[in-house]
Amino acid sequence: MMAESLSSLTQTWLQWDQDPTTRAEIEKLRDSNATEELEKRLRNRIEFGTAGLRGRMAAGFSCMNSLTVIQASQGLAKFIRDKRSEIAASGVVIGHDARHNSARFAALAANAFIAQRIPVWFFKEEGPTPLVPFGVNHFRAAAGIMVTASHVGYKVYSSNGAQINRPEDGEIAQSILENLEPWPTAWAELQPSEYLRADSYQNLLPHYGKRVEEFTKTTVTDWQPPRPFVYTPLHGVGGLVLPNVCNSIGIHDFVSVTAQEKPDPDFPTVKFPNPEESGALNLAIQTADQEEKTLIIANDPDADRFAVAEKVGYVNLTSPPYSSLMCFHLDSETWYTMSGNHVGVLLASHILDSYDSGNDCSNLAVLTTTVSSSMLAKMAAAKGIQFTETLTGFKWMANVARDLEKEGKTVVFSYEEALGYMFPSVCYDKDGITAATVFLAAEAKWRAQGLTAYGKLQKLFTEFGHHETLNNYFRSPDPQLTSTLFQGIRGSSCLAEMKFGPFKILRWRDLTEGYDSSTPDKKPDLPEDPSSQMLTLWLDGGVRFTFRGSGTEPKVKFYIESCGESREDAVTAVCDAFLAIQEHWVQRFTPSMTYSKQLPTSSGHVLDLG
């Protein structure tokens, strides 16, 4: 079959698109004969996967825009009507955050379901992502949709409150392809209807707040408020919910960052509104210093992620290893921003400590992903609690949690290193609101024990070994470059000889090709995925790292972890592993790949390769 001509693709777009802004974009490209850009915009469709749609916001079939949202919604609506007809009458929850076009995309999505006579639990108000999966379970809905700032996305939840996963995502993707042409009411303004539940958000919010409060207080025996703190929602929707939840729990002594407390899709005070990014908390730190507060908590713009910074003191620091390559950027009385792994093990410790160690905990389970710290596994083993590792992303962790529940397990906590934390007692996705209240409850408990959060973390390191991480990426603008790199690695001698730079390879796992050197049948214990690139190596000296191609960004990511008796030993091992990756893999097979010249480890050491 001959490929459709570019002029035909352009004509189809202009025939279907009724959004004046995106129509004008394509018309301008057509009139200026910008064929290369039109090819990028129109030739390939935005992929429905990773639990929904992700992409940059622009005109064209390959991007996030009104038309592609309509098409995805029509496909999902027909899938539910035809393949899930027994639960279609339960309706679909649709929410959105405060980014540009979120409210419009949510309304256009609602039209598709109403056209199929599927009720819509519609959130007129902008709100946090976790309210949608919470709402799916509360309303016993057939599905949920969240239009979110995270990677500019359209997240889809199944009837179990978890993000959709295989094979459901493939079936929905096929239904989308079968329903591309907008239906007669697709572009209409959202109107009152017997199928539109327009007051759903305000009805749901008190139930969510009560659930968060109840769960938070189950984690402590003697509830007390935390120390005074500063909060920033980074111009997102967390500021609309978390302060009220805190007040209802009895947490009143906090200050919000004034310039960032209201939603603003332009994010005027930060370069990139992600609390993982360097500098994102600068204004919060200024506020905390002015207010003489020593604790900062933050949400990302859709409030499904949570971050912590604490003012700590260092005295007589040991000179770090690799003095020619590294520096230590923390001084006495300075702000320490915790990594996702740090916050994850702190929350886990608090929750696990709420279970009496004298009781049988074998029915309990905790989860984390293959790129997160191995420390949680040790903490679970010490309590006799089941630990399960999953692939990256909460679509995996949430669905694995649901499967474990069917086996009679109670999953009490789950997290991933990218500042995401799940509490199944509240909802089956990462939840930055609940993470904040649970952390504050834990902070108050530790303070009563004479510990700061940082002090508690060091105590955990003493008990389970100092775990150091270095998570970053190489830039790979061309998917073929990523493929070349992984082909070179698989064809090299290091895996066959079980030797990697200065390290001996103890085990390696290839989830792309479904191989694990440690199992009797050489099959991995995690699902293989031929559509992605992912290798994990276990090395002598307590080092493990994962190397994977990103499914949403032009990057090859690496996640290195070591466990040593001291911070210095662990840092040394992490840096050795990175230098081996750089020398033996990247420079050998894809020398054109670039990377950040300064790579901070989780404790604040910086591997400076400038």
Side-chain angles (χ1 to χ4, degrees), residues 262-275:
K262 294 182 180 179
D264 186 336
D266 292 319
F267 308 111
T269 67
V270 289
K271 290 183 178 180
F272 191 72
N274 179 345

Side-chain angles (χ1 to χ4, degrees), residues 323-340:
S323 57
S324 62
L325 295 174
M326 302 169 56
C327 64
F328 196 69
H329 68 68
L330 294 177
D331 258 331
S332 180
E333 286 295 307
T334 193
W335 285 96
Y336 183 83
T337 302
M338 295 188 178
S339 71

Side-chain angles (χ1 to χ4, degrees), residues 265-474:
D266 292 319
F267 308 111
T269 67
V270 289
K271 290 183 178 180
F272 191 72
N274 179 345
E276 286 184 295
E277 295 291 325
S278 176
L281 298 182
N282 283 354
L283 197 54
I285 289 172
Q286 292 176 22
T287 302
D289 284 338
Q290 291 167 2
E291 297 288 335
E292 298 185 340
K293 304 287 193 292
T294 57
L295 179 66
I296 293 169
I297 66 170
N299 288 128
D300 67 336
D302 63 321
D304 63 352
R305 294 197 284 175
F306 169 71
V308 176
E310 184 175 52
K311 201 166 193 178
V312 298
Y314 284 86
V315 181
N316 297 324
L317 287 174
T318 303
S319 297
Y322 275 111
S323 57
S324 62
L325 295 174
M326 302 169 56
C327 64
F328 196 69
H329 68 68
L330 294 177
D331 258 331
S332 180
E333 286 295 307
T334 193
W335 285 96
Y336 183 83
T337 302
M338 295 188 178
S339 71
N341 283 317
H342 291 158
V343 178
V345 298
L346 284 170
L347 288 169
S349 170
H350 174 66
I351 291 171
L352 297 186
D353 283 348
S354 69
Y355 292 92
D356 187 345
S357 59
N359 294 333
D360 181 10
C361 295
S362 59
N363 68 314
L364 305 180
V366 292
L367 315 175
T368 192
T369 67
T370 187
V371 299
S372 300
S373 175
S374 61
M375 190 168 168
L376 182 59
K378 299 175 184 177
M379 296 166 64
K383 289 276 189 178
I385 292 172
Q386 177 173 329
F387 168 80
T388 300
E389 183 183 64
T390 76
L391 294 179
T392 56
F394 280 86
K395 70 174 184 179
W396 290 104
M397 281 191 284
N399 283 290
V400 169
R402 283 302 210 180
D403 290 340
L404 288 171
E405 288 172 349
K406 292 175 184 176
E407 299 172 6
K409 298 287 185 180
T410 298
V411 179
V412 295
F413 180 64
S414 179
Y415 92 93
E416 69 175 0
E417 51 77 36
L419 300 179
Y421 318 96
M422 182 177 80
F423 310 87
S425 293
V426 179
C427 72
Y428 291 87
D429 198 6
K430 56 182 179 287
D431 181 349
I433 303 297
T434 305
T437 60
V438 173
F439 182 87
L440 292 170
E443 193 279 336
K445 181 184 75 176
W446 300 326
R447 190 161 52 96
Q449 298 168 353
L451 291 170
T452 63
Y454 179 82
K456 176 63 176 179
L457 181 64
Q458 302 314 305
K459 190 174 181 180
L460 291 173
F461 284 157
T462 299
E463 184 176 358
F464 298 105
H466 187 98
H467 288 67
E468 188 75 27
T469 59
L470 176 60
N471 301 340
N472 216 287
Y473 61 87
F474 293 90

